[in-house]
Amino acid sequence: MEAAGLLCLAAAALLAWGFLRVWDSRERTKSQEQAGVLGDGSRTLLVIAHPDDEAMFFAPTVLGLARLGHRLSLLCFSAGNFYNQGEIRKKELLQSCDVLGIPPSSIMIIDNRDFPDDPSVRWDTERVASILLQHIEMNSINLVVTFDEGGVSGHSNHIALYAAMRTLHSEGRLPKGCSVLTLQSVNVLRKYISLLDLPFTLLRRQDVLFVLTSKEVAQAKTTEPLAHPTESGQ
């Protein structure tokens, strides 16, 4: 039994060593690829659909980019008024951004009937794209961060932002040197298995992965009371 136990431990150690070697090799390659996108001093725009998206979905990304010296700004396409709490949620967004290091002068909230907080309403792709492009050009943005095609939670308003960014990118309308990062959507199982998801995350190819320090984790958690998990469709 002792011999079998030692053999199992040796096998586990070997697998772990092999995994770390592979991960280290991938990290060296990725660091070279990311140098242009994540360079110090980049003007980065976070594009979200509702107040609290920044806390519920993007806090690790925002804190990671801030650590790299990015100058962050935020564009929110609605006031989150599904439950008639738009004014409250706009204030909470400003509070959350203060924790995450995005100054009020760099925050724009669109409160327009064209973009209601409603999962049953499909936002016009060209209208969203036009506003996005104008904001990117006016602020000399060279990195945009937003949702992917799954919208993380599947909310149609999230997906509308991706559709607009994809349109701008595919049609070559983005300014030269402007890159786009999208937050990867995962299935329900991976969302709730916590640390057990770590091997899947590390082995799956992605362009950027942020791992927070303990201080940043505590910082991100302070935004949680400001998030609205009951928001429509989330």
Side-chain angles (χ1 to χ4, degrees):
M1 290 294 291
E2 288 184 7
L6 289 172
L7 184 61
C8 288
L9 286 173
L14 183 62
L15 285 171
W17 176 79
F19 175 78
L20 290 173
R21 282 289 300 275
V22 171
W23 175 242
D24 180 63
S25 174
R26 289 183 68 236
E27 279 300 293
R28 286 198 297 268
T29 303
K30 282 165 58 181
S31 65
Q32 297 171 358
E33 296 173 350
Q34 294 167 9
V37 176
L38 299 180
D40 181 28
S42 291
R43 300 181 68 89
T44 299
L45 175 66
L46 174 62
V47 182
I48 60 176
H50 319 107
D52 80 13
D53 288 348
E54 80 294 337
M56 292 181 68
F57 306 117
F58 292 99
T61 302
V62 171
L63 292 171
L65 290 170
R67 186 202 316 149
L68 294 174
H70 284 227
R71 289 173 287 176
L72 293 155
S73 58
L74 180 143
L75 176 60
C76 182
F77 266 82
S78 81
N81 202 38
F82 189 78
Y83 293 111
N84 297 315
Q85 295 181 329
E87 292 305 314
I88 294 173
R89 297 186 65 193
K90 283 193 286 186
K91 292 178 182 177
E92 291 177 341
L93 173 61
L94 294 175
Q95 294 171 11
S96 175
C97 286
D98 182 60
V99 173
L100 295 173
I102 304 176
S105 59
S106 299
I107 299 168
M108 180 176 178
I109 303 171
I110 299 173
D111 194 356
N112 189 310
R113 64 180 62 187
D114 290 340
F115 308 117
D117 174 10
D118 190 336
S120 67
V121 176
R122 188 181 183 87
W123 292 352
D124 182 80
T125 300
E126 186 54 41
R127 177 83 170 118
V128 175
S130 177
I131 293 174
L132 266 173
L133 183 58
Q134 182 182 28
H135 198 82
I136 289 168
E137 291 176 336
M138 286 180 59
N139 295 279
S140 302
I141 299 298
N142 49 32
L143 177 63
V144 179
V145 178
T146 192
F147 295 97
D148 70 357
E149 69 274 14
V152 181
S153 65
H155 198 298
S156 64
N157 298 164
H158 299 174
I159 296 170
L161 300 181
Y162 170 80
M165 282 306 311
R166 184 177 179 84
T167 295
L168 292 174
H169 185 271
S170 63
E171 294 180 358
R173 294 160 62 187
L174 288 174
K176 184 178 180 180
C178 183
S179 301
V180 182
L181 291 178
T182 58
L183 183 63
Q184 180 189 6
S185 298
V186 298
N187 60 48
V188 175
L189 176 63
R190 288 188 60 194
K191 282 184 180 181
Y192 295 106
I193 59 175
S194 188
L195 290 176
L196 294 176
D197 183 60
L198 187 59
F200 297 102
T201 300
L202 295 180
L203 289 173
R204 186 181 178 90
R205 174 164 177 79
Q206 59 242 324
D207 294 316
V208 178
L209 174 65
F210 289 107
V211 179
L212 300 187
T213 65
S214 57
K215 180 180 178 180
E216 289 168 339
V217 169
Q219 191 175 352
K221 284 183 176 181
T222 62
T223 68
E224 291 178 0
L226 304 176
H228 288 250
T230 57
E231 181 192 349
S232 60
Q234 290 192 355

